[in-house]
Each structure stands twice: as structure tokens, then as C-alpha cells.
Amino acid sequence: MEKLDAKDRIKKLRKEIAHLREAYHVKNDPNVTDDIYDSLNKELKILLEKYPEFNDINSFENRIAGKPLDKFLKVKHKIRMLSLNDVFNEQELYDWEKRIKKLWRSDLHSCNYFCEVKFDGLAISLIYKNGKFFQGSTRGDGEIGEDITENLKMIKNIPLYIGQGFSQDIGQGLTLSDLPETLPEYLEVRGEIIMHKDTLLALNKKRKEQGEVLFANTRN
């Protein structure tokens, strides 16, 4: 592909992906599959690696997808909530390792990996004050999220109080029973909200019977 053709293709890809991101993250109305979305992003990434002169620090690919919805109150995160990048082959993983090692001390030459399944859910921040659940919010754009406190109170795995003597199974074999006797005045817990696929199927069945628009995936 010639340089000018690549420039035009990058421009078209940015426009199309921006449109898809708007539909997916803001309007909750995705119109293509995740495979198509990932394929477009991968093509854009490859072209920008080949033609770095077309990189734009203000372009959407350098930002976290999504933005706070107007119907929710805005919440500014004390510490930015980051998103995960993906890789498509071993070389991209090795390139990531090289970047990480540059951030380490010079005397560190090896690293170990801890891997876990990535759930495609909703990243959240839970704020506890003196052990009591105070506020919950989404990641949003990383800097500002949406206040969904009342929605989160409906999830039984999220404790409303984690004071002395508290013990609760929070799934995946984890518990919150090893808390210190004196909790900090301010505590932030970050995690991921997920919906099982069978729950999505049951929900869509009910929505179909009621003539409502079906959800494309559990994130919606």
C-alpha cells in the first residue's frame, strides 16, 4: 500500500471505528460483531506501526472507549482508571515486555507472568468510607465516570458494609474476611461486573416477548 493510500485508509478506519465506539459504548446499540470491530482496530494498528507519521496523540485510539452518559451524575476518579490493551501474536507480547522492562530498575533482567481470564464486563470503582459503601461509579473515559451507586446496591456480591467481623464470599473462591480490625477512613476497591451468558439469554427472551430491543451482548 502506497503512503497516500495508507493515509486515506487510516482516515476511513478512524471514522468507522469512532462511529462503532459511539454506538457500542454510548448508545448501547452495537451494529456489528466484536470480531469485525477487533479486525478494524487491528488493521488501524498495523497501518500506524508501518506509517508512524500518521499517529495523532489526540485521536480516539489513544483514549479509553466510551464517555459518561448525561443521565448519570459525573464522578471524577482520584486516580485514573486504565483500560487493557490487547495483543494478537507472540511478538506483540514480547514488545510489551520490552516496554515494561524499560520502566524497571536496571538490575532487573527477568520477569514472571501471572495470567487470568479477562472478563468482558463493566469496570467499576467502589468507595467505602469507614467501612460503609459510599459511592460506586463506572470507568467512563478513565478520568470521569458515571455514578451508579443505587444500581450497584442491587448486586448481592457487593457488600454495603465491611466493618470489623465482616466475612462474605465474593465469588471465584475469594472472601473479604481478612480485613484489618481498623479500616481506613477512605477505601477504594476496583473490579469488574459481569453477567453470565445464560442470564443474558433469559433476559433477551423476556424482552423479545415484550417486543423490546434485544441486547447484543452482556455489556449492554
Side-chain angles (χ1 to χ4, degrees), residues 19-209:
H19 172 74
L20 295 178
R21 285 161 67 109
E22 174 79 9
Y24 186 96
H25 293 282
V26 179
K27 297 181 179 179
N28 287 335
D29 185 27
N31 45 37
V32 299
T33 64
D34 288 346
D35 289 340
I36 294 177
Y37 179 79
D38 290 340
S39 177
L40 294 175
N41 276 286
K42 183 178 180 181
E43 181 183 356
L44 177 60
K45 182 179 179 180
I46 292 174
L47 286 175
L48 290 175
E49 288 176 350
K50 188 174 182 180
Y51 301 97
E53 60 269 32
F54 297 134
N55 273 306
D56 181 1
I57 194 172
N58 290 316
S59 185
F60 71 85
E61 67 263 16
N62 294 314
R63 300 176 183 271
I64 293 176
K67 65 179 181 180
L69 300 177
D70 292 335
K71 63 181 179 180
F72 292 107
L73 294 176
K74 306 298 188 295
V75 176
K76 182 173 177 57
H77 301 300
K78 282 192 172 183
I79 300 175
R80 185 181 178 189
M81 292 187 70
L82 301 178
S83 180
L84 296 177
N85 291 328
D86 50 19
V87 296
F88 295 92
N89 53 58
E90 287 189 31
Q91 185 57 51
E92 291 182 354
L93 180 62
Y94 295 142
D95 292 340
W96 167 81
E97 180 180 299
K98 291 178 182 178
R99 294 194 298 271
I100 293 299
K101 285 184 176 180
K102 288 181 180 180
L103 302 176
W104 287 359
R105 302 193 308 270
S106 59
D107 60 327
L108 294 179
H109 301 290
S110 63
C111 62
N112 296 318
Y113 294 97
F114 173 81
C115 300
E116 62 181 10
V117 175
K118 178 186 181 297
F119 293 109
D120 190 17
L122 177 69
I124 59 164
S125 166
L126 306 176
I127 304 298
Y128 288 86
K129 290 189 175 182
N130 296 315
K132 184 179 180 180
F133 179 45
F134 175 75
Q135 185 180 65
S137 60
T138 65
R139 181 175 61 208
D141 64 1
E143 300 287 350
I144 298 177
E146 305 144 10
D147 188 330
I148 55 171
T149 304
E150 296 306 313
N151 305 63
L152 294 175
K153 288 180 179 179
M154 299 173 65
I155 301 176
K156 64 180 181 179
N157 298 89
I158 296 179
L160 301 182
Y161 180 73
I162 52 175
Q164 186 175 1
F166 169 82
S167 178
Q168 177 176 325
D169 181 6
I170 58 174
Q172 302 298 315
L174 302 175
T175 64
L176 293 177
S177 59
D178 298 324
L179 293 168
E181 291 187 4
T182 303
L183 289 170
E185 180 180 349
Y186 179 95
L187 173 67
E188 180 175 5
V189 180
R190 291 180 174 181
E192 195 92 359
I193 296 178
I194 63 170
M195 176 188 287
H196 292 284
K197 289 184 178 180
D198 55 353
T199 303
L200 174 66
L201 293 175
L203 178 61
N204 271 340
K205 181 181 179 181
K206 184 177 180 180
R207 292 178 67 84
K208 184 177 182 180
E209 293 173 350

